[in-house]
Amino acid sequence: MVSFPTIDKCAFIGREKHTVVADMDGTLLRGRSSFPYFALLAFEAGGIFRLFLLLLASPLAGLLYYFVSESAGIKVLIFSTCAGMKVSDIESVARAVLPKFYSSDLHSESWRVFSSCGKRCVLTANPRIMVEAFLKDFLGADLVLGTEISTYKGRATGFVRSPGIIVGKNKADALKKAFEETQPEIGLGDRHTDAPFMALCKEGYIVPPKPEVRAVTTDKLPKPIIFHDGRLVQKPTPLTALLIILWIPIGFILACLRIAAGSLLPMPMVYYAFWALGVRVTIKGTPHPPAKKSTGQSGVLFVCSHRTLLDPIFLSTALGRPIPAVTYSVSRLSEIISPIKTVRLSRDRATDASMIKKLLEKGDLAICPEGTTCREPFLLRFSALFAELTDQLVPVAMVNRMSMFHGTTARGWKGMDPFYFFMNPSPAYEVTFLNKLPQELTLSGGKSSHEVANYIQRVIAATLSYECTSLTRRDKYRALAGNDGTVVEKARKLQANKVMGC
């Protein structure tokens, strides 16, 4: 092990035609433990009881890992996490959830060398099914050699296939089998069990444990992570996982109290009730006054950025009055507990336009033209339909803060979205009212609907320091759920198709 120089001695210029073979935990990633990623998989695909089972098994895994063998400890983690789990669920979490957490822990010195090489291979003890999507899609890996889990009728058995955990000699054997007579130029590892495969490379470099090494910033990743899913905000260490398990029953009761306060109290009182219950609402800008029906004044259309399905509710909280909202889809439970009127759009342009016009005649209205939520500092493309229906447009920049749970999902049941948001110890929303659009920037002023929509998108993005994109709801669901976001169900009256919108 000591015969290999450290990673900072590796030259990275002129490596375009070279092949690099790297370990993952402790090498490509700063963290040496894979527990957080198994915990994410356990919670997102198996729920709180699976996470609890993994937490109970983790001391045994640690004892085996450090006092018996690496492979024995990893086998315990794999079994307690994956046994009985659908393979499709594991693949879904690996594609939609794990990349966000992996990318936030990318080792800057290892990435400098890894990214400079023309061909990239990763050897890891982790199950290949867990890491391959991230390594290939986001780091440009050409080959991923990892532990293969055993499956039966579409479910993981919890055991591993021959030759077992890819560690020590098994890593060297896997490298020989993949490259045959070809000798890779660079081998990167971080522990003595990586020495056998590093010795097969022309150059070998050790990545020493340096807690002070910074992770690679998102702007230096080959592909930005705009969409990601999952309920957990933070990477769960054993202590964090224990706190999550202990907090969920308390948090659910607290969420029910917060939801009840928002649903049952008069809207002018909701702001103060939220503050009393730990929900912080910050209001910036000047809230627009309500439309005067006595003078025949039509309502204004509040055009909001979309963070969660609770955006219109916090808009109403900031205004002190209920503002109806048009949505592409919310769950039946969310409709029942909502303190404001929600109207579903049909995605038929003429039908939706007629409905929105009628609603505006009755008063103010809220719409989120992105059509779906985005967690990262990006704005998706704004649908231009709203700009064709009224010139009374007020942009509203919405941003929220969550410390434990995300209040959105693309893969799970959306009826739990408001509960998860309010289960955070102290969730927060910031509502920024921007100036009403002057007439010269609307359709009446000669602008096209697309110009108006793009202008509002840019104004909101500038306010939030976000980046505008041309991505849509369809792009999000293809990335996270493997579909275009449309679910066909039995017709109910005139509704034949229901579209997942948040």
Side-chain angles (χ1 to χ4, degrees):
M1 186 71 173
V2 294
S3 62
F4 296 106
T6 55
I7 185 70
D8 58 301
K9 304 295 193 302
C10 181
F12 62 94
I13 305 297
R15 297 284 193 177
E16 292 80 8
K17 295 183 179 180
H18 288 184
T19 298
V20 61
V21 181
D23 178 42
M24 192 167 179
D25 295 315
T27 303
L28 277 179
L29 302 180
R30 296 183 305 164
R32 294 167 62 87
S33 172
S34 58
F35 174 86
Y37 308 104
F38 281 104
L40 285 165
L41 176 59
F43 183 79
E44 303 296 351
I48 184 175
F49 294 108
R50 176 69 69 154
L51 178 61
F52 183 58
L53 175 63
L54 174 63
L55 192 61
L56 290 177
S58 60
L60 174 62
L63 289 172
L64 292 174
Y65 186 93
Y66 290 107
F67 298 106
V68 179
S69 69
E70 282 188 40
S71 61
I74 296 171
K75 283 180 180 178
V76 172
L77 292 179
I78 292 175
F79 183 84
S80 56
T81 301
C82 300
M85 193 174 285
K86 289 183 179 180
V87 174
S88 60
D89 289 341
I90 300 175
E91 292 173 337
S92 178
V93 172
R95 179 182 65 247
V97 179
L98 297 184
K100 169 65 178 177
F101 294 94
Y102 281 136
S103 64
S104 66
D105 198 37
L106 197 58
H107 197 293
S108 55
E109 293 181 358
S110 300
W111 174 244
R112 173 177 57 85
V113 176
F114 190 79
S115 62
S116 67
C117 294
K119 187 175 181 180
R120 306 166 188 173
C121 173
V122 177
L123 274 171
T124 177
N126 290 307
R128 178 188 55 79
I129 192 174
M130 278 180 60
V131 302
E132 189 171 41
F134 166 70
L135 293 171
K136 287 190 173 182
D137 295 345
F138 293 94
L139 299 191
D142 300 288
L143 181 63
V144 177
L145 302 174
T147 300
E148 297 292 340
I149 62 172
S150 176
T151 61
Y152 179 73
K153 292 185 177 181
R155 290 184 180 270
T157 63
F159 301 105
V160 298
R161 295 179 184 174
S162 179
I165 303 296
I166 303 300
V167 65
K169 182 178 179 297
N170 284 346
K171 279 189 177 180
D173 293 341
L175 184 64
K176 289 178 183 177
K177 184 177 180 180
F179 287 87
E180 297 179 345
E181 301 300 322
T182 305
Q183 189 177 18
E185 279 75 17
I186 303 175
L188 303 178
D190 68 293
R191 61 198 79 190
H192 71 277
T193 52
D194 292 330
F197 91 82
M198 293 168 64
L200 299 176
C201 302
K202 295 178 182 179
E203 308 170 47
Y205 296 92
I206 288 295
V207 181
K210 291 183 179 180
E212 70 277 7
V213 173
R214 293 186 178 182
V216 176
T217 55
T218 54
D219 60 300
K220 293 183 179 179
L221 293 174
K223 180 181 177 181
I225 296 181
I226 299 177
F227 301 122
H228 59 93
D229 203 22
R231 293 296 189 183
L232 297 184
V233 172
Q234 300 181 33
K235 186 169 63 175
T237 62
L239 177 59
T240 306
L242 177 61
L243 291 175
I244 289 171
I245 293 169
L246 295 176
W247 174 257
I248 282 180
I250 301 170
F252 184 75
I253 295 172
L254 183 58
C256 291
L257 288 174
R258 290 165 170 172
I259 291 171
S263 300
L264 302 177
L265 292 177
M267 193 56 70
M269 296 179 60
V270 170
Y271 175 86
Y272 303 101
F274 277 171
W275 271 87
L277 292 170
V279 181
R280 300 293 175 251
V281 184
T282 304
I283 305 170
K284 295 183 177 181
T286 305
H288 195 276
K292 296 180 180 179
K293 296 182 181 179
S294 59
T295 61
Q297 181 183 359
S298 64
V300 300
L301 186 60
F302 291 100
V303 184
C304 308
S305 55
H306 204 6
R307 310 310 288 175
T308 74
L309 60 80
L310 298 171
D311 293 335
I313 294 173
F314 280 95
L315 171 69
S316 300
T317 303
L319 289 168
R321 63 183 191 273
I323 304 296
V326 289
T327 67
Y328 287 107
S329 177
V330 292
S331 70
R332 184 60 60 190
L333 177 59
S334 297
E335 286 183 328
I336 293 171
I337 64 177
S338 175
I340 63 174
K341 180 182 179 181
T342 59
V343 181
R344 296 194 185 201
L345 295 175
S346 65
R347 291 199 182 272
D348 178 79
R349 197 174 186 83
T351 302
D352 291 341
S354 174
M355 180 178 60
I356 293 174
K357 284 182 178 180
K358 290 179 180 178
L359 291 170
L360 285 171
E361 291 173 0
K362 299 178 181 178
D364 298 337
L365 186 66
I367 190 170
C368 300
E370 290 172 275
T372 190
T373 57
C374 181
R375 296 174 177 178
E376 295 301 299
F378 297 91
L379 290 185
L380 308 187
R381 189 183 72 190
F382 277 32
S383 170
L385 174 62
F386 72 89
E388 301 173 6
L389 307 177
T390 180
D391 295 333
Q392 308 298 311
L393 301 171
V394 177
V396 183
M398 312 285 291
V399 65
N400 54 22
R401 185 181 71 249
M402 296 154 287
S403 59
M404 189 173 284
F405 303 109
H406 284 294
T408 60
T409 182
R411 299 162 37 257
W413 181 41
K414 296 180 184 299
M416 287 300 295
D417 285 359
F419 290 92
Y420 271 107
F421 177 83
F422 283 117
M423 280 167 61
N424 285 284
S426 184
Y429 245 92
E430 184 178 289
V431 183
T432 303
F433 293 95
L434 306 178
N435 293 330
K436 182 181 175 183
L437 246 63
Q439 188 173 1
E440 59 267 22
L441 294 178
T442 66
L443 250 64
S444 298
K447 300 294 183 180
S448 69
S449 59
H450 292 285
E451 288 175 323
V452 176
N454 291 339
Y455 174 78
I456 293 180
Q457 184 196 38
R458 291 195 301 270
V459 168
I460 294 178
T463 302
L464 300 174
S465 298
Y466 283 9
E467 183 178 333
C468 294
T469 75
S470 59
L471 299 172
T472 66
R473 172 192 57 81
R474 184 167 296 179
D475 296 311
K476 171 183 171 178
Y477 279 91
R478 283 177 176 171
L480 300 183
N483 57 60
D484 63 1
T486 302
V487 181
V488 178
E489 58 179 24
K490 293 181 179 180
R492 184 174 61 233
K493 293 184 179 180
L494 296 178
Q495 186 180 357
N497 292 306
K498 175 181 172 183
V499 183
M500 297 188 292
C502 290

